[in-house]
């Protein structure tokens, strides 16, 4: 089953091409990491990695209980979190159907000096879970029961109970 | 029979033509059954998603088209490598046959993705790592097709295309892991090879049907296009002339 030496050489050339192409793509991907990332998570915005006053995107989860809507316009204010930092977002316009508290969001706009992100577009980022409504309701029921049992010891938690898993970042 | 004998037998266009001819009706029938059955099952019988409602049902076309578009590319790259190493002409024909099928599947994946993105994300298109790398896959397929056209000499065309295809294969793992490596709008994979899939079993079953149906459709289309290429390249051989004349005589009778 030995390979003909010439064919073996051609095989080695192909492996070489693949390794070089992979290396080139890897270096390119690494060098352009900042540009390939679609958005900045709140932690990078708070730490000053995101530019101020430039068109950028921010992404994370809409913090539960943070959504404030204006009564006379489409203006909305909410807090985006990655469970290590938070950014306040202000937006005026139509929201996607899947926009909700505790769900993922990607907003584009500009970060102001005061740390507020003024968005011109809000996109919903959903997770990779699909299930029928009954299953979701049953899961929520059992989660609520578990919370009740642990309520005496657990502190009141505004954030999601399983942040890292649900962040979807 | 040793593995090399089988290998060389498969390399014979004539043998491939005859053998694939027997496979075609089974592939076509089974893929049609799985695609139509899975689509009806997924579109009409499965419950709506708890978050996305009915718009999630496009998954039954989007995921098979995307997965097979990537699988087709890997098949094309392997055919290209076989052609380069063993100078097997049949592998070059398979490579040429796959490009337009892969391009169509990638286009379908991009189109269904856009149609799905509008009601869920709120946009048709965003330049995130997943969507952009799939667009690159589409251009790679178009590039392979164009490169084939650019050469008058078939062997030179096959060699150049094989190298392009192999270099482009680097894009496949990038597409697959793009949603893990970079922050993207597209969510990570729901079907997991390791661990439990994050799509409910009742929704996963019809997806498996359309996914395997799409793979069989690809196999069917690949064989069909390769056979056409074989007839074109071997048109001066005795067996093709006999085959064509035989068909004509039967038609006359």
């Amino acid at each position: 089953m030995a390979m003909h030496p010439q064919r073996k050489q051609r095989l080695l050339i192909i492996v070489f091409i693949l390794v070089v192409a992979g290396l080139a793509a890897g270096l390119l991907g690494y060098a352009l990491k900042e540009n390939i990332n679609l958005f900045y998570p709140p932690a990078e915005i708070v730490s000053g990695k995101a530019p101020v006053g430039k068109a950028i995107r921010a992404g994370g989860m809409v913090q539960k209980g943070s959504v404030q809507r204006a009564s006379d316009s489409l203006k909305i204010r909410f807090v985006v979190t990655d469970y290590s930092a938070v950014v306040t977002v202000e937006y005026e316009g139509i929201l996607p159907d899947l926009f909700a508290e505790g769900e993922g969001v990607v907003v584009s706009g500009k970060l102001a000096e005061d740390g507020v992100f003024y968005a011109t577009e809000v996109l919903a980022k959903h997770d990779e879970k699909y299930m029928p409504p009954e299953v979701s309701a049953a899961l929520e029921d059992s989660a609520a029961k578990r919370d009740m049992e642990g309520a005496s010891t657990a502190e009141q938690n505004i954030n999601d109970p399983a942040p890292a898993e649900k962040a979807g970042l | 029979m040793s593995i090399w004998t089988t290998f060389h037998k498969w390399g014979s266009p004539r043998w491939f033509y005859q053998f694939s001819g027997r496979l075609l009706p089974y592939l076509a029938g089974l893929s049609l059954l799985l695609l139509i059955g899975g689509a009806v099952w997924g579109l009409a019988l499965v419950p709506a998603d708890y978050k996305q409602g009915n718009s999630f049902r496009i998954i039954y076309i989007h995921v098979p088209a995307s997965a097979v578009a990537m699988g087709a590319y890997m098949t094309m790259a392997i055919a290209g490598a076989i052609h380069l190493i063993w100078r097997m002409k049949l592998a070059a024909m398979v490579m040429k046959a796959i490009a337009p099928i892969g391009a169509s599947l990638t286009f379908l994946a991009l189109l269904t993705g856009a149609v799905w993105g509008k009601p869920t994300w709120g946009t048709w298109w965003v330049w995130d790592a997943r969507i952009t790398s799939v667009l690159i896959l589409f251009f790679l397929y178009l590039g392979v097709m164009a490169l084939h056209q650019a050469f008058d000499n078939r062997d030179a065309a096959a060699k150049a295309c094989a190298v392009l295809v192999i270099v482009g294969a680097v894009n496949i793992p990038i597409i697959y892991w793009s949603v893990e490596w970079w922050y993207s709008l597209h969510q990570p994979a729901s079907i997991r090879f390791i661990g439990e899939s994050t799509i409910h079993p009742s929704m996963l079953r019809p997806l498996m049907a359309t996914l395997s149906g799409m793979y069989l459709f690809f196999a069917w289309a690949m064989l069909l296009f390769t056979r056409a290429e074989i007839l074109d390249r071997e048109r001066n051989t005795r067996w093709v002339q006999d085959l064509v004349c035989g068909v004509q005589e039967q038609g006359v009778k």
Side-chain angles (χ1 to χ4, degrees):
Chain A
M1 278 258 312
M3 258 175 114
H4 192 282
Q6 202 184 358
R7 287 169 193 156
K8 198 167 179 178
Q9 198 189 355
R10 290 189 204 131
L11 175 69
L12 286 175
I13 292 172
I14 288 173
V15 171
F16 179 75
I17 291 176
L18 267 177
V19 169
V20 170
L23 220 71
L27 286 173
L28 210 67
Y30 184 74
L32 297 176
K33 197 169 168 52
E34 298 294 308
N35 303 61
I36 297 172
N37 282 332
L38 186 69
F39 55 81
Y40 291 94
E44 286 184 12
I45 291 175
V46 169
S47 69
K49 274 189 190 166
V52 175
K54 273 178 78 179
I56 56 165
R57 284 196 179 93
M61 310 299 280
V62 180
Q63 194 167 66
K64 281 187 180 164
S66 75
V67 175
Q68 298 171 310
R69 288 170 204 266
S71 54
D72 55 344
S73 71
L74 287 175
K75 210 169 226 177
I76 184 172
R77 240 176 125 94
F78 55 91
V79 172
V80 172
T81 175
D82 58 2
Y83 303 106
S84 63
V86 294
V87 167
T88 303
V89 176
E90 204 175 290
Y91 173 69
E92 187 168 3
I94 294 167
L95 293 162
D97 290 351
L98 290 189
F99 177 88
E101 293 186 353
E103 300 291 341
V105 77
V106 174
V107 297
S108 47
K110 282 177 186 166
L111 183 66
E113 293 283 356
D114 57 0
V116 175
F117 194 102
Y118 292 92
T120 49
E121 187 186 38
V122 174
L123 301 177
K125 176 174 161 67
H126 64 81
D127 61 18
E128 69 279 24
K129 295 186 185 107
Y130 303 94
M131 60 184 113
E134 309 90 72
V135 178
S136 161
L139 280 179
E140 268 172 31
D141 272 3
S142 63
K145 255 180 217 156
R146 243 182 295 129
D147 279 359
M148 293 265 277
E149 282 159 17
S152 52
T153 49
E155 283 177 26
Q156 194 183 11
N157 193 357
I158 306 163
N159 284 347
D160 204 277
E165 188 209 353
K166 273 206 81 178
L169 296 174
Chain B
M1 195 163 61
S2 86
I3 184 165
W4 292 114
T5 325
T6 320
F7 191 70
H8 285 290
K9 200 166 151 192
W10 271 93
S12 149
R14 185 183 177 179
W15 188 86
F16 182 89
Y17 188 89
Q18 286 162 350
F19 181 78
S20 61
R22 273 178 276 150
L23 274 179
L24 283 180
Y26 298 103
L27 287 174
L30 204 59
S31 90
L32 213 64
L33 193 79
L34 283 166
L35 279 175
I36 293 177
V40 171
W41 188 0
L43 293 183
L45 305 176
V46 158
D49 180 57
Y50 75 116
K51 212 180 278 175
Q52 299 186 25
N54 282 321
S55 52
F56 107 95
R57 295 182 197 274
I58 202 167
I59 199 173
Y60 296 110
I61 305 164
H62 178 72
V63 167
S66 319
V68 180
M70 289 162 71
Y73 196 93
M74 289 317 281
T75 317
M76 191 166 75
I78 291 166
I82 290 175
H83 176 71
L84 281 186
I85 297 169
W86 284 278
R87 298 281 186 262
M88 191 197 275
K89 286 207 168 73
L90 180 66
M93 299 186 214
V94 170
M95 189 176 64
K96 191 179 173 186
I98 290 175
I101 310 167
S104 315
L105 287 170
T106 313
F107 182 75
L108 186 63
L110 288 168
L111 186 78
T112 51
V115 168
W116 195 0
K118 188 63 188 167
T120 51
W121 299 339
T123 184
W124 300 98
W125 189 269
V126 68
W127 293 99
D128 85 345
R130 168 59 67 83
I131 301 168
T132 309
S133 56
V134 173
L135 185 68
I136 291 172
L137 178 72
F138 181 59
F139 289 143
L140 274 170
Y141 276 127
L142 293 187
V144 172
M145 287 163 71
L147 199 56
H148 266 119
Q149 297 295 321
F151 282 88
D152 288 329
N153 182 304
R154 275 181 174 151
D155 290 332
K159 217 188 241 179
C161 286
V163 173
L164 172 64
V165 167
I166 289 166
V167 171
V170 170
N171 191 35
I172 297 297
I174 294 178
I175 294 176
Y176 188 79
W177 281 296
S178 56
V179 285
E180 313 276 343
W181 291 343
W182 298 287
Y183 297 135
S184 62
L185 186 59
H186 195 288
Q187 71 285 0
S190 297
I191 302 175
R192 304 262 169 87
F193 296 109
I194 306 158
E196 208 176 331
S197 291
T198 56
I199 171 167
H200 193 263
S202 66
M203 295 162 156
L204 182 61
R205 274 178 232 122
L207 183 57
M208 284 304 172
T210 51
L211 186 60
S212 41
M214 195 64 96
Y215 267 110
L216 290 173
F217 165 79
F218 165 67
W220 173 77
M222 178 179 69
L223 291 185
L224 207 65
F225 282 34
T226 308
R227 283 160 61 85
E229 185 68 17
I230 289 172
L231 290 186
D232 185 37
R233 286 205 200 191
E234 309 257 300
R235 59 172 172 255
N236 292 326
T237 62
R238 187 65 194 271
W239 74 271
V240 171
Q241 283 170 356
D242 282 353
L243 188 84
V244 175
C245 291
V247 170
Q248 277 175 349
E249 273 164 27
Q250 274 179 351
V252 170
K253 279 174 199 167

